[in-house]
Amino acid sequence: MTQKVAVLGTGKIGEALLSGMIGAGWAPTDLLVTARRRERADELRARHGVTPVTNAEAAKTADTLILTVKPQDMGTLLDELAPHVPTDRLVISGAAGIPTSFFEERLAPGTPVVRVMTNTPALVDEAMSVISAGTHATAAHLTHTEEIFGAVGKTLRVPESQQDACTALSGSGPAYFFYLVEAMTDAGILLGLPRDKAHDLIVQSAIGAAKMLRDSGEHPVKLRENVTSPAGTTINAIRELESHGVRAALIAALEAARDRSRELASGTKD
Ligand SMILES: NC(=O)C1=CN([C@@H]2O[C@H](COP(=O)(O)OP(=O)(O)OC[C@H]3O[C@@H](n4cnc5c(N)ncnc54)[C@H](OP(=O)(O)O)[C@@H]3O)[C@@H](O)[C@H]2O)C=CC1
Ligand SMILES: O=C(O)[C@@H]1CCC=N1
């Protein structure tokens, strides 16, 4: 039997997922999308050949519902959906912060719910998606969720108690790297390089470092030590990073992201 999947609230994350699924072989005719605005629905149909439907139609027709609205819009979406979702549907939430219990309380008793935190590298099939089962989700539901999110990158199962931490690390993670590149490019300007050249140098260094982190099997400390020559340039930079508390700032930053994820738990926090 064909498995129909609906993406409800198809914005940045929803569209990245859709695009990855089609790239991985899902037939666009098996994919339904919902959008709040007509022009967005038309855009998705034109770009991907998928079928826009209403949220209620998606609930009635699709086997799997992936909810990718903002956490603050989740309550309204669920109010609209709940009367139409049969208990044999798998409901996957892609929203930050909101626990599976939020959905279980609003949907018919027994409805399987899976919580996923992905990230924007889904756009280039390099996402990191962390997956947790709700009370009624089975091993088969987790495997199906992995098949879907595996289309846009790596997946990892974690206990739901670790989802807020994962959101701080990998959900928001790409933003920290973009921020670093932005700051290092500014440093290049200060040192007299043209912006485009500084950007290219930093981006290629980031790609090289990322590949080494993934493929070399070496600990990051060892990789950094290999760059850091005695009485050389790198150690002077590291001393400045340490004296400006960059390590402590990163720890505090991720703690703040984790706390905000916890705060979003009610689905209504502005
Ligand atoms: N951006 C990121 O890096 C990540 C985001 N997430 C999570 O993914 C979710 C989506 O984020 P993102 O893609 O960035 O957000 P977007 O705002 O790009 O996408 C959400 C979409 O949902 C639409 N929408 C809202 N309410 C409804 C509704 N009732 N019915 C149909 N469509 C609706 C919005 O419409 P409109 O265009 O009119 O606003 C919008 O297009 C969030 O919950 C976020 O926590 C997870 C990992 C990373
Ligand atoms: O900033 C946010 O809330 C979303 C969730 C993770 C990344 N972006």
Side-chain angles (χ1 to χ4, degrees):
M1 194 189 77
T2 312
Q3 281 275 324
K4 281 203 186 297
V5 175
V7 180
L8 289 84
T10 317
K12 289 183 286 295
I13 289 293
E15 187 174 8
L17 187 59
L18 201 63
S19 169
M21 288 174 75
I22 293 168
W26 258 268
T29 45
D30 292 331
L31 300 175
L32 308 174
V33 292
T34 80
R36 196 154 46 179
R37 290 167 295 110
R38 175 68 191 270
E39 59 276 26
R40 176 64 179 156
D42 292 344
E43 190 174 71
L44 291 163
R45 185 203 297 271
R47 272 194 212 146
H48 304 287
V50 292
T51 309
V53 293
T54 64
N55 290 320
E57 283 166 347
K60 287 177 201 156
T61 322
D63 304 284
T64 302
L65 308 174
I66 308 176
L67 314 187
T68 55
V69 301
K70 294 283 188 201
Q72 295 86 343
D73 290 328
M74 201 56 94
T76 309
L77 176 61
L78 274 179
D79 288 345
E80 199 183 328
L81 277 184
H84 307 287
V85 183
T87 49
D88 61 350
R89 300 294 190 262
L90 168 61
V91 175
I92 301 175
S93 166
I98 306 189
T100 51
S101 58
F102 181 89
F103 300 89
E104 289 166 353
E105 283 159 13
R106 287 161 179 80
L107 294 166
T111 306
V113 178
V114 171
R115 176 173 170 185
V116 180
M117 176 48 50
T118 187
N119 62 14
T120 57
L123 285 162
V124 293
D125 296 343
E126 289 288 355
M128 182 68 246
S129 304
V130 288
I131 296 175
S132 306
T135 315
H136 311 293
T138 63
H141 293 128
L142 287 175
T143 302
H144 185 51
T145 306
E146 284 166 343
E147 280 163 10
I148 293 172
F149 282 85
V152 291
K154 285 194 174 190
T155 61
L156 179 72
R157 292 186 194 186
V158 299
E160 188 169 5
S161 58
Q162 292 176 2
Q163 277 278 351
D164 294 314
C166 294
T167 300
L169 261 75
S170 55
S172 300
Y176 316 144
F177 291 107
F178 298 138
Y179 177 90
L180 270 183
V181 168
E182 190 191 324
M184 288 168 77
T185 304
D186 274 351
I189 307 287
L190 181 81
L191 303 182
L193 294 173
R195 181 169 289 278
D196 57 342
K197 287 206 171 55
H199 174 84
D200 288 352
L201 294 176
I202 296 301
V203 169
Q204 181 55 27
S205 301
I207 291 168
K211 280 199 166 177
M212 289 175 77
L213 283 165
R214 188 184 60 186
D215 301 336
S216 71
E218 294 282 8
H219 193 280
V221 169
K222 174 76 176 134
L223 294 173
R224 179 169 62 76
E225 281 174 358
N226 289 345
V227 186
T228 312
S229 310
T233 59
T234 314
I235 192 62
N236 278 276
I238 300 290
R239 180 178 59 184
E240 290 299 320
L241 292 172
E242 293 294 354
S243 74
H244 285 88
V246 173
R247 186 184 298 264
L250 280 170
I251 292 170
L254 270 70
E255 198 176 28
R258 189 276 316 268
D259 292 349
R260 179 60 183 151
S261 182
R262 283 182 179 166
E263 246 180 52
L264 288 168
S266 74
T268 54
K269 290 266 164 57
D270 285 339

